Amino acid sequence: LAHRKVVPALFHLWVGNLLPERFALVCFGRRPFSDQEIRTALRASLDKHARITPVDEERWATFAARITYHQGGFDEPAAYTSLSTKLAAIDTESGTDGNRLYYLATPASSFPEIVRSLGAAGLDHETADGGWRRIVIEKPFGRDLDTAVKLNREVGKVFRESQVYRIDHYLGKETVRNILIFRFGNLIFEPIWHRRYIDHIQITVAETIGVEGRGAFYEETGALRDILQNHLLQLLTLVAMEPPATLDAEALRDEKVKVLRAVRLLSTDTVDEHVVRGQYSAGNVQGQAVNGYNQETGVNPNSSTETFVALRTEIANWRWAGVPFYIRTGKRLASREGYIEINFHPTPHAIFQAPAGGVNKLVIHLQPKDGLELHLFAEGQHKRIKTGNQTSTNLSSVHLDLDFDKRFGSERVGAYERLLLDVLDGRLNLFVRSDEQEEAWRWVEPILQHWATDTQGPRHYAAGTWGPSASSAMIARDGFCWSEEN
């Protein structure tokens, strides 16, 4: 994570003059690196993962000069004591004023120990003239409701909630951040953003890749914990929330929590009716033969871990009563797509002949492109009616397309860059609050409990397809189908 995302994001901010000159990066780990060795390793990572290439060598040299390495085990108190001494020296030498950001790019199992050790060494302390202290915690934030509550309790013993930044990189995506602006900054959409005009909503995050050598990690996680419990439920809250009174972080997160509390809870008896889990088997992805999940390195050949989840849910409040939300995610699917699709009701009285299956819809693209599409009807070809000399007007489906790459390409920053800037500026708006995290776990808890005792296991689907047929059958029961080519 540090090599693929965090350090490249910091370097891009440095190149863009968005980091202060008085800046230092201390890498903390178990391995016996020298300062020069960690700089060399990070430079090699930039060649693979930098968003902007080729790497600006002059800017890299000034950035690398600010990188040092501190060796220590996460469970070694002495390592944190010496880290405290080192950071104090950097404050004096570099003029960093005591402002410190701790980024836990570590295994989740190490989170409690690191937090306790930071507290024991006094590295969490803020004083009037001693600068701020902030901590970024990556997912997975717990494995279930119980572990999430316990982790929040451990973190809360050391850091105040206002110091804690639970990061979800999806919230840093340009299009995701613009959902609030689409809704609350433009009068066009908000008046029709409820059950009277919206028929149903689909949220999809599909990947063509498999577990990418992380079989052991995925065995402990699965698609429900890895993507749905965090990324997809966060997208759901942004789509469904009520307008906050202000853009203050607490006002915004209060509204997101209300949505999570209103999402209809499943019981263990109704999981099979509303949730489909799948696991990819061998198949063909974009012309290349690939192994099934159970043949991946680090995976139990008899594993029942899901690589695909699709579900139907509703939100029990006045705005959304009766509107179904369909959510799905999976690996080794037919194409890499991420979108939120808002499907509107048909016109109440059809005086034009719409194309078969055509609907008005708003599509918010998340990957591989970022953008917004509004699907409308316009006049197509005229044709003569057989019974007379009159002509009828056939409608064609057309769309207005806002491509963020084309429109804002040179002005954009990456998701991690945006979120790191927010942490440095002390903005909590796009980070997850403890009760928000717990409510998300509370909602998935019945699914986890049911799967733990279900002997049927996941339904298999061939790699390169759109998942188990049961997923299509689930949405078809309501008369809809998944959008698989937006």
Side-chain angles (χ1 to χ4, degrees):
L1 178 63
H3 285 263
R4 291 176 58 247
K5 296 293 184 181
V6 182
V7 174
L10 287 170
F11 178 65
H12 291 145
L13 293 175
W14 179 254
V15 170
N17 296 315
L18 294 171
L19 284 182
E21 283 292 327
R22 293 180 296 172
F23 157 76
L25 176 61
V26 180
C27 302
F28 184 110
R30 298 184 180 92
R31 299 185 210 176
F33 287 132
S34 66
D35 290 349
Q36 187 54 50
E37 285 172 333
I38 195 65
R39 291 167 185 166
T40 301
L42 292 174
R43 176 63 185 81
S45 296
L46 283 180
D47 286 331
K48 295 179 182 178
H49 305 297
R51 183 172 59 84
I52 303 171
T53 54
V55 172
D56 184 321
E57 295 297 342
E58 183 178 346
R59 294 298 284 165
W60 164 252
T62 58
F63 183 80
R66 289 162 169 79
I67 301 174
T68 58
Y69 186 76
H70 187 80
Q71 184 184 1
F74 296 153
D75 57 350
E76 296 176 7
Y80 294 85
T81 301
S82 57
L83 175 64
S84 180
T85 302
K86 182 171 190 170
L87 295 179
I90 290 174
D91 283 338
T92 301
E93 296 164 7
S94 304
T96 45
D97 297 330
N99 297 321
R100 294 173 190 170
L101 166 59
Y102 307 113
Y103 198 118
L104 304 193
T106 71
S109 57
S110 299
F111 292 169
E113 187 65 51
I114 294 172
V115 169
R116 283 194 294 268
S117 298
L118 288 171
L123 289 167
D124 60 311
H125 296 345
E126 292 183 337
T127 59
D129 57 353
W132 47 256
R133 307 286 190 275
R134 295 167 190 157
I135 185 168
V136 176
I137 303 179
E138 278 274 356
K139 73 177 185 69
F141 200 85
R143 281 187 47 79
D144 51 26
L145 178 59
D146 182 59
T147 54
V149 170
K150 288 178 179 176
L151 183 54
N152 277 329
R153 191 177 300 134
E154 288 292 324
V155 173
K157 290 177 182 176
V158 178
F159 292 95
R160 301 188 311 277
E161 183 66 27
S162 61
Q163 295 175 279
V164 182
Y165 292 72
R166 296 173 189 82
I167 193 169
D168 184 329
H169 74 270
Y170 257 64
L171 297 182
K173 286 178 174 286
E174 191 87 20
T175 318
V176 174
R177 294 190 296 110
N178 267 295
I179 291 174
L180 296 178
I181 299 172
F182 295 154
R183 290 191 56 192
F184 307 133
N186 299 284
L187 192 58
I188 298 172
F189 295 121
E190 188 56 23
I192 59 173
W193 207 264
H194 57 78
R195 57 186 168 79
R196 188 177 305 163
Y197 298 98
I198 293 177
D199 190 43
H200 71 282
I201 294 175
Q202 298 182 23
I203 303 176
T204 287
V205 172
E207 298 284 357
T208 55
I209 61 173
V211 295
E212 300 293 282
R214 300 187 306 152
F217 163 79
Y218 213 78
E219 278 288 87
E220 294 293 321
T221 309
L224 185 72
R225 291 184 173 97
D226 187 38
I227 302 293
L228 195 142
Q229 184 274 338
N230 38 75
H231 299 330
L232 294 187
L233 287 185
Q234 284 295 314
L235 295 178
L236 175 68
T237 62
L238 294 175
V239 169
M241 66 185 282
E242 295 298 320
T246 69
L247 279 181
D248 173 76
E250 297 313 303
L252 186 65
R253 299 195 290 184
D254 284 347
E255 297 301 334
K256 291 167 67 182
V257 169
K258 289 177 185 177
V259 173
L260 291 171
R261 289 174 179 165
V263 180
R264 287 194 184 278
L265 278 173
L266 299 173
S267 69
T268 53
D269 295 331
T270 59
V271 168
D272 284 337
E273 180 183 355
H274 296 287
V275 184
V276 175
R277 63 169 166 160
Q279 184 187 95
Y280 66 83
S281 53
N284 190 292
V285 178
Q286 299 176 338
Q288 181 178 357
V290 297
N291 290 330
Y293 176 74
N294 284 345
Q295 285 79 54
E296 300 277 14
T297 303
V299 172
N300 182 341
N302 299 312
S303 173
S304 61
T305 299
E306 78 286 354
T307 61
F308 175 96
V309 182
L311 61 85
R312 179 196 191 279
T313 191
E314 294 185 11
I315 297 174
N317 61 21
W318 278 41
R319 180 184 289 265
W320 297 112
V323 177
F325 287 72
Y326 304 96
I327 304 173
R328 66 174 174 168
T329 185
K331 289 189 175 295
R332 288 293 190 213
L333 297 181
S335 69
R336 180 174 181 260
E337 291 185 18
Y339 63 84
I340 302 167
E341 184 178 279
I342 315 296
N343 289 274
F344 295 95
H345 288 299
T347 55
H349 176 58
I351 61 174
F352 296 105
Q353 183 177 347
V359 295
N360 294 143
K361 60 185 179 182
L362 175 68
V363 183
I364 302 168
H365 288 284
L366 310 173
Q367 65 179 35
K369 73 171 186 176
D370 289 341
L372 181 72
E373 287 181 9
L374 182 60
H375 291 242
L376 305 169
F377 296 131
E379 185 178 56
Q381 291 182 335
H382 289 299
K383 71 175 182 179
R384 193 166 300 283
I385 300 173
K386 292 181 180 179
T387 57
N389 292 322
Q390 293 180 324
T391 59
S392 65
T393 300
N394 282 343
L395 301 184
S396 296
S397 183
V398 298
H399 63 268
L400 308 177
D401 187 358
L402 171 60
D403 187 317
F404 278 35
D405 285 323
K406 294 178 180 177
R407 176 62 183 84
F408 305 114
S410 62
E411 305 166 29
R412 302 178 66 196
V413 297
Y416 269 92
E417 294 158 47
R418 164 57 59 192
L419 293 172
L420 282 166
L421 272 180
D422 283 353
V423 178
L424 294 173
D425 288 340
R427 291 191 295 265
L428 283 156
N429 305 56
L430 297 177
F431 295 86
V432 182
R433 202 168 61 190
S434 59
D435 57 342
E436 193 179 342
Q437 186 66 252
E438 291 172 15
E439 287 297 334
W441 278 118
R442 195 183 315 279
W443 190 82
V444 303
E445 191 83 351
I447 304 174
L448 292 171
Q449 291 174 351
H450 176 71
W451 287 355
T453 59
D454 178 29
T455 57
Q456 180 180 351
R459 301 169 188 265
H460 289 276
Y461 62 96
T465 65
W466 278 105
S469 59
S471 168
S472 298
M474 177 189 69
I475 192 171
R477 287 199 299 266
D478 294 337
F480 307 125
C481 62
W482 293 107
S483 291
E484 292 168 353
E485 290 184 7
N486 286 298

